[in-house]
């Protein structure tokens, strides 16, 4: 290719002579030695109006082209260069077209070289203004690729040409929308950018930078507090999407119709007639509409990807400019990912699962303007402008672009994506507020990470270093999940779908608008190509988390102590990816059994391993709620996909899954609950998936073996703590359910008429006149209780908890018996107490018909069977110790209750054969043992200091709380510590090792018990 500077008049003639290039043998190329034929070919190719003065040949074609283009320039000085270039381009194209000259003619190559030489010479001899005008016109014509690229590349040598030529093209891309992508102008831009790296470089430099790349932005709105201090400013996100080139390229979207003026609303997807009246549309029609929208959106996204790919390959400056633009755009969207800012006062539809929006739309006291879904969308668009936030459609397109950039990162390269990058001091340029995000490490640990990070190139290399590109793109996308994708997806999948369902009958217009918004967003969010790229990123994220959690070690389980690479990570990385998987799991068709949609593109190994690490280790994740969310996701995935479930029975998970479940179960005891969650419902809901997974795992022999080894070995304390919490949960849940049933029965008898008038399915409380507005709306509708639903909920929770206890007692009875403390708690607080309520006198207070029991999900027969089973499991491990401890229970034990329990078991066939005989013998032996024990206590005068200060029972191993100085039996103290890790009197942190043994007092008590025939826990030291 010819490369030249602008020539003078003497040089110009030399360039023309260059067309007469000799062959390698020294002769000039000819048309096979036939001058007439050569002349005919050249004349036909050039399509001349008038015959030339002399015959044309390859030897004089260069001079002829020079003369001809000169005549064109002289004939029309204003547009002569444009016409001359088009004349040369037409000749080039005709030489390549079939039917003009033979394709085997050897003169085509020399002719094209002559045409190229002439075109470049004429272009370089013109001033910059004429070059720009001519190139702009030539771009509108079908100029051959090589010729066009040479012209653009040569023109780029003049520094004045690239920015002005680009601006002439780019200004026509403003205002693009989904039904008009300005494709011709975009194609021109791509043609120019591809021709030379100087054009992309010019695009991010002055004057293009200030005009179309990142225009200057000054906040137009400022928010102040009462002290007149600035608390917030308008962000630049909306300005970037509406005033910059990349914003125009990403702008066309299926959403964002509210941003369009009413006069142009028909140009949007939601404004078109084909998207109207969707409430009763067939699935076939909806699928067709979504496919059409997907094709349009995919076209826009493909253009954005093509443009960005060119910019990234053009050098360090364009690449960094693209990354900084994306970083600033994502940072501007940060408020979209935060709770609050709910419409109509704010701009988010998604908080509270959309329930707030539904309530606002349905509330009679809401202003009429805000009770219209269309107006709510207009208010959201107005807030986007005022707050300077990216709109939903552009946010989704931008996130799709980020997924495109992440696609080349292979799963094996996850270990190369440095977590220390997020610790850089200049990170706000790319990731905005992530420097202030909470991290997995404590403050001191994060500070120590900074010292370690100095040896990592991702921490110290300049931002423009191309070796950082994959790391930069990954962390940009990771942040984009929370600020760009999740707000839009939650609005579509939760809010809009919820509004459409809630108002289907009572407000068809609102329902139709919400349903349309849901379907338009779903067209992008569930498009197969989008899901494939999203699955690749989710898989990559879990691999990065796993690698950071284990510090690069090969064995991930059991998890090693977390190191600097884990402490440096923002916790929002894990939170966002859990949210994302939960959201898409809700969209899967039920009971399919096979991974579909997003999950068909995921590898279960890194996901399940990472979730196990989070569940198992409180040193990795301190937030028990986050650990609970991890186990909920594992529960949903394993029960949905049998192939994922089978992974739990394979190495390495099979050896570590049970300890993980025990760890997360005990951790959620400290989960942060709402102030109003007096029934601990949040904690119980986090434990349900743990119990389901326990039930699933213990069906496998290897898991049962691991449970036994763990409970008798290093995990004994955690196992006993788990059982303690199960006992407390089962009691609380059963009591809450029974209390609710009692209240319901009392309510029915006292307020039968009022209850019958209560709204069906919502609550069954009486609504008083003072509780209603002038329009008759219940002021306290949100807090009303449906007694039956509440009782059903807690009976269901109690049923799962009892089954979990039954499983643990069945497989680990001897471990429980050896843990004397937990055995007494299990027998007294749980088995004896519940048997007292189920078959004792208390049962009369909740007696109801079998139909009502079934409606409430209450199965007393099953509970009695499980209790009888547990007595047998424990007695087989140590019959004497179990009998001794039950005999101590003066509150709930009575021989009449146990005899009635045996009759109940026999009557309903709950136990049969040898088990029934075994239970009968246990009940009779227990009655005899209790009689002897109580007789000994009645005749003994027990000193006050021998009694436990908490339980008022004779102690067998007295210990003192070091802070409060209270003396209790060891099993009582250990029970308190297992439940709360605190001194119950002083309310200070306490460990079992800190208890003070009372050795002398213990000896006195044992001598006294020996002398009076009183049985002590664990036997008498003088026996």
């Amino acid at each position: 290719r010819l490369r030249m500077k602008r020539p003078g008049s003497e040089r110009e003639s030399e360039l023309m002579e260059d067309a007469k290039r000799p062959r390698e043998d020294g002769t000039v190329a000819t048309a096979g030695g036939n001058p007439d034929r050569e002349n005919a070919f050249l004349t036909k190719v050039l399509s001349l109006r008038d015959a030339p003065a002399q015959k044309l040949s390859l030897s004089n074609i260069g001079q002829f082209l020079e003369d001809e283009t000169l005549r064109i320039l002289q004939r029309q000085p204003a547009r002569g260069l444009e016409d001359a270039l088009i004349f040369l381009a037409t000749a080039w194209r005709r030489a390549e077209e079939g039917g003009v000259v033979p394709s085997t003619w050897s003169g085509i190559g020399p002719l094209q070289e002559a045409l190229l030489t002439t075109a470049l010479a004429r272009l370089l001899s013109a001033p910059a203004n004429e070059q720009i005008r001519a190139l702009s016109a030539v771009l509108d014509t079908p100029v051959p690729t090589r010729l066009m690229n040479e012209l653009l590349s040569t023109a780029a040598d003049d520094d004045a040409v690239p920015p002005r030529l680009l601006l002439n093209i780019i200004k026509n891309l403003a205002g693009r929308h989904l039904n008009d992508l300005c494709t011709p102008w975009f194609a021109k831009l791509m043609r120019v950018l591809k021709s030379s790296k100087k054009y992309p470089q010019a695009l991010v430099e002055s004057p293009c930078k200030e005009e179309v790349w990142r225009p200057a932005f000054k906040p137009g709105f400022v928010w102040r507090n009462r002290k007149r201090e600035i608390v917030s400013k308008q962000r630049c996100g909306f300005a970037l999407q509406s005033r910059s080139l990349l914003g125009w390229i990403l702008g066309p979207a299926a959403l964002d119709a509210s941003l369009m003026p009413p006069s142009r609303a028909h140009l949007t997807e939601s404004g078109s007639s084909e998207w109207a009246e969707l409430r009763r549309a067939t699935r076939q029609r909806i699928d067709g509409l979504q496919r059409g929208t997907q094709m349009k959106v995919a076209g826009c996204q493909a253009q954005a990807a093509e443009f960005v790919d060119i910019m990234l390959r053009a050098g360090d400056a364009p690449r960094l400019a693209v990354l900084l633009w994306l970083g600033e755009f994502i940072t501007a969207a940060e408020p979209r990912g935060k709770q609050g800012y709910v419409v109509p006062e704010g701009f988010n539809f998604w908080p509270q699962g959309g329930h707030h929006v539904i309530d606002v739309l349905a509330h009679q006291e809401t202003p009429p303007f805000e009770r219209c879904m269309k107006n709510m969308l207009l208010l959201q668009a107005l807030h986007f402008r005022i707050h300077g936030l990216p709109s939903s459609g552009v946010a989704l397109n931008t996130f799709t672009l980020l997924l495109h950039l992440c696609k080349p990162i292979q799963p094996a390269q996850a270990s190369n994506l440095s977590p220390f990058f997020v610790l850089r001091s200049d990170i706000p340029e790319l990731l905005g507020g992530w420097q202030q995000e909470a991290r997995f490490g404590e403050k001191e640990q994060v500070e120590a990470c900074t010292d370690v990070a100095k040896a990592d190139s991702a921490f110290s290399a300049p931002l423009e270093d191309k070796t950082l590109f994959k790391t930069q793109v990954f962390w940009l996308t990771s942040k984009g999940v929370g600020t760009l994708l999740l707000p839009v997806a939650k609005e579509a999948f939760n809010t809009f779908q919820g509004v459409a369902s809630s108002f289907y009958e009572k407000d068809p217009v609102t329902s139709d608008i919400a349903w349309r918004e849901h379907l338009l967003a779903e067209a992008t969010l569930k498009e197969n190509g989008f899901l494939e790229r999203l699955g690749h990123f989710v898989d990559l994220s879990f691999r990065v988390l796993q690698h950071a959690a284990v510090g690069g070690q090969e064995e991930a389980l059991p998890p090693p102590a977390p190191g600097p690479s884990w402490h440096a990570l923002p916790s929002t990385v894990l939170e966002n990816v859990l949210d994302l998987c939960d959201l898409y799991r809700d969209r899967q068709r039920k009971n399919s059994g096979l991974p579909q949609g997003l999950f068909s593109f995921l590898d279960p190994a890194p996901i399940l391993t990472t979730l196990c690490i989070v569940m198992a280790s409180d040193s990795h994740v301190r937030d028990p709620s986050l650990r609970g969310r991890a186990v909920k996701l594992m529960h949903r995935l394993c029960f949905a996909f049998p192939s994922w479930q089978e992974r739990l029975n394979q190495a390495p998970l099979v050896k570590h899954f049970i300890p993980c479940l025990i760890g997360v179960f005990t951790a959620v005891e400290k989960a942060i609950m709402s102030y109003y969650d007096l029934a601990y419902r949040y904690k119980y809901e986090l434990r349900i998936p743990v119990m389901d997974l326990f039930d699933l795992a213990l069906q496998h022999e290897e898991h049962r073996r691991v449970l036994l080894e763990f409970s008798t070995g290093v995990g004994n304390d955690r196992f006993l703590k788990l059982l303690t919490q199960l006992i407390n949960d089962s009691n609380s849940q059963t009591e809450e359910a029974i209390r609710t049933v009692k209240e319901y029965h009392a309510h029915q008898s006292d307020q039968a008429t009022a209850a019958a008038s209560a709204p069906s399915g919502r609550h069954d409380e009486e609504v008083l006149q003072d509780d209603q507005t002038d329009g008759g709306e219940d002021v306290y509708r949100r807090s009303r209780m449906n007694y039956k639903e509440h009782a059903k909920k807690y009976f269901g929770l109690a049923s799962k908890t009892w089954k979990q206890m039954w499983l643990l007692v069945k497989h680990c009875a001897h471990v429980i018996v050896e843990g004397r403390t937990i055995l007494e708690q299990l027998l007294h607080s749980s088995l004896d107490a519940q048997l007292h309520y189920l078959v004792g006198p208390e049962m009369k207070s909740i007696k109801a018909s079998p139909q009502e029991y079934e409606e409430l999900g209450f199965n007393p027969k099953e509970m009695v069977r499980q209790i009888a089973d547990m007595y047998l499991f424990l007695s087989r491990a140590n019959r004497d110790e179990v009998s001794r401890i039950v005999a101590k229970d003066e509150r709930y034990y009575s021989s009449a209750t146990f005899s009635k329990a045996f009759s109940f078991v026999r009557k309903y066939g709950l136990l049969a054969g040898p088990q029934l005989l075994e239970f009968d013998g246990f009940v009779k032996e227990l009655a005899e043992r209790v009689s002897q024990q109580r007789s000994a206590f009645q005749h003994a005068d027990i000193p006050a200091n021998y009694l436990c200060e908490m339980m008022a029972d004779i102690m067998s191993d007295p210990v003192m709380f070091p802070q409060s100085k209270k003396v209790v039996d060891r099993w009582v103290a250990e029970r308190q510590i297992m439940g709360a890790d605190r001194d119950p009197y002083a309310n200070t942190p306490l460990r079992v090792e800190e208890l003070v043994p009372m050795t002398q007092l213990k000896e006195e008590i044992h001598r006294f018990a020996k002398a009076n025939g009183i049985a002590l826990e664990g036997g008498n030291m003088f026996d």
Side-chain angles (χ1 to χ4, degrees), residues 321-607:
V322 170
L323 294 175
L324 291 176
W325 191 98
L326 292 171
E328 191 169 17
F329 190 82
I330 294 172
T331 301
E334 285 177 347
R336 286 278 277 147
K338 297 179 180 178
Q339 288 281 356
Y341 306 105
V342 189
V343 291
E345 295 82 5
F347 41 77
N348 280 335
F349 280 96
W350 65 266
Q352 303 175 29
H355 295 298
H356 176 80
V357 175
I358 294 173
D359 195 64
V360 169
L361 289 169
H363 204 298
Q364 295 181 0
E365 295 184 0
T366 301
F369 180 85
E370 295 175 0
R371 292 174 65 184
C372 172
M373 187 66 190
K374 181 178 179 180
N375 292 341
M376 293 280 267
L377 291 170
L378 289 172
L379 283 173
Q380 185 188 46
L382 182 62
H383 281 297
F384 286 157
R385 293 178 181 272
I386 293 174
H387 291 269
L389 306 177
S391 59
S392 298
V394 181
L396 204 52
N397 284 346
T398 305
F399 185 76
T400 305
L401 174 62
L402 289 167
L403 292 180
H404 166 76
L405 297 179
C406 276
K407 184 65 176 175
I409 306 176
Q410 299 301 313
Q413 297 174 323
S415 58
N416 299 330
L417 302 175
S418 174
F420 298 123
F421 180 79
V422 297
L423 295 176
R424 295 174 61 115
S425 59
D426 57 357
I427 204 63
E429 296 182 48
L430 275 179
L431 300 178
W434 254 23
Q435 206 170 33
Q436 286 76 44
E437 285 285 347
R439 303 186 185 276
F440 287 122
E442 300 283 2
K443 181 179 179 181
E444 297 78 11
Q445 293 171 327
V446 175
E447 291 174 353
C449 288
T450 306
D451 297 331
V452 178
K454 293 177 181 178
D456 193 310
S457 60
F459 181 80
S460 55
L463 284 177
E464 59 270 18
D465 189 336
K466 65 180 181 181
T467 61
L468 297 181
F469 177 70
K470 291 183 178 180
T471 298
Q472 292 167 332
V473 166
F474 173 79
W475 290 115
L476 279 171
T477 311
S478 186
K479 181 172 183 181
V481 171
T483 59
L484 301 179
L485 175 62
L486 284 176
V488 180
K490 288 178 180 178
E491 286 183 353
F493 291 155
N494 297 338
T495 306
F496 293 142
Q497 191 173 23
V499 171
S501 300
S502 300
F503 292 89
Y504 185 81
E505 296 293 344
K506 55 187 176 184
D507 190 346
V509 175
T510 293
S511 176
D512 193 64
I513 293 173
W515 185 235
R516 182 172 62 243
E517 293 296 314
H518 163 74
L519 292 175
L520 286 171
E522 187 184 55
T524 299
L525 293 168
K526 296 185 71 174
E527 191 269 327
N528 198 59
F530 177 84
L531 291 177
E532 181 181 4
R533 294 189 292 270
L534 182 60
H536 173 75
F537 174 75
V538 171
D539 184 79
L540 198 62
S541 297
F542 276 108
R543 291 177 186 273
V544 169
L545 287 167
Q546 178 182 330
H547 185 268
V550 302
Q553 298 183 23
E554 292 185 6
E555 296 293 333
L557 293 172
S565 59
W566 179 258
H567 294 149
L569 288 178
S571 59
T572 188
V573 176
L574 177 60
E575 294 169 6
N576 288 342
V577 78
L578 292 180
D579 268 351
L580 184 60
C581 291
D582 271 336
L583 193 64
Y584 271 92
R585 177 67 202 107
D586 288 338
R587 316 313 305 167
Q588 296 299 113
R589 286 181 290 181
K590 308 299 182 184
N591 301 322
S592 63
L594 296 175
Q596 297 178 352
L598 173 67
F599 298 96
S600 63
F601 301 104
L602 297 180
D603 180 0
I607 297 177

Side-chain angles (χ1 to χ4, degrees), residues 31 37-38 40-42 44-45 94-109:
R37 187 165 179 261
E38 189 172 282
F41 284 169
L42 291 173
K44 193 174 183 180
V45 167
R94 285 174 61 81
E96 294 178 339
E97 290 177 353
V100 179
V101 295
S103 60
T104 57
W105 179 41
S106 61
I108 293 177

Side-chain angles (χ1 to χ4, degrees), residues 155-297:
D157 291 337
D158 188 339
D159 294 340
V161 172
R164 294 169 59 187
L165 178 60
L166 288 169
L167 289 173
N168 284 348
I169 299 172
I170 290 170
K171 66 183 180 182
N172 296 284
L173 295 175
R176 285 179 9 130
H177 55 83
L178 202 57
N179 291 306
D180 181 12
L181 297 179
C182 302
T183 303
W185 288 105
F186 182 82
K188 291 180 188 179
L189 178 62
M190 292 300 99
R191 201 167 187 180
V192 172
L193 294 176
K194 290 177 181 178
S195 65
S196 172
K197 292 184 178 180
K198 293 183 179 180
Y199 289 100
Q201 292 167 356
L203 190 56
V204 298
E205 297 172 352
S206 184
C208 291
K209 179 179 179 181
E210 291 78 11
E211 293 192 36
V212 295
W213 185 253
R214 290 175 71 182
F217 173 76
K218 183 179 179 181
F221 294 90
V222 176
W223 286 264
R224 301 177 184 271
N225 58 18
R226 294 182 178 180
K227 297 180 180 180
R228 305 300 297 164
E229 299 169 337
I230 295 177
V231 295
S232 180
K233 293 183 179 180
Q234 184 185 35
R235 295 170 175 259
C236 63
F238 195 84
L240 285 174
Q241 87 173 44
S242 58
R243 291 169 49 197
S244 71
L245 170 60
L246 192 48
W248 295 335
I249 293 175
L250 292 166
L255 305 174
D256 303 341
S258 300
L259 295 173
M260 191 72 78
S263 60
R264 302 185 66 197
H266 63 284
L267 299 175
T268 64
E269 288 292 281
S270 63
S272 63
S273 58
E274 60 184 8
W275 277 92
E277 297 296 330
L278 294 174
R279 292 169 57 252
R280 302 184 185 278
T282 63
R283 187 72 251 181
Q284 184 179 6
R285 179 192 167 195
I286 290 174
D287 288 344
L289 290 172
Q290 287 187 320
R291 281 194 296 270
T293 300
Q294 285 172 350
M295 292 176 63
K296 296 177 184 179
V297 173

